[in-house]
Amino acid sequence: MSMNVGDRVRVKESVVVYHHPQHRNEAFDIQGLEGEVLSFANEWQGKPISANFPVLVKFPDKFRAHLREDELELA
């Protein structure tokens, strides 16, 4: 699957985060949430990198998360 910056995506797998603004410091599953791809972490200071969670997704409520491509599907 090929994603681009600006695409609408949905979290298709169970992903637990601890930094959601409304559930800070608690386990919160973001499966099913929809957001927008902001960027890809594949370059740093002009050099290629291999990030573990390369896709930065912006969700509602000022929430952002780095995810893997296989955890997402196009919405």
Side-chain angles (χ1 to χ4, degrees), residues 11-42:
V11 181
K12 69 178 182 180
E13 296 183 4
S14 179
V15 178
V16 176
V17 298
Y18 291 85
H19 66 283
H20 190 277
Q22 296 171 347
H23 305 276
R24 187 144 326 263
N25 297 326
E26 313 175 359
F28 182 69
D29 191 351
I30 60 171
Q31 183 175 12
L33 278 185
E34 290 189 18
E36 178 183 338
V37 175
L38 280 183
S39 65
F40 294 93
N42 54 11

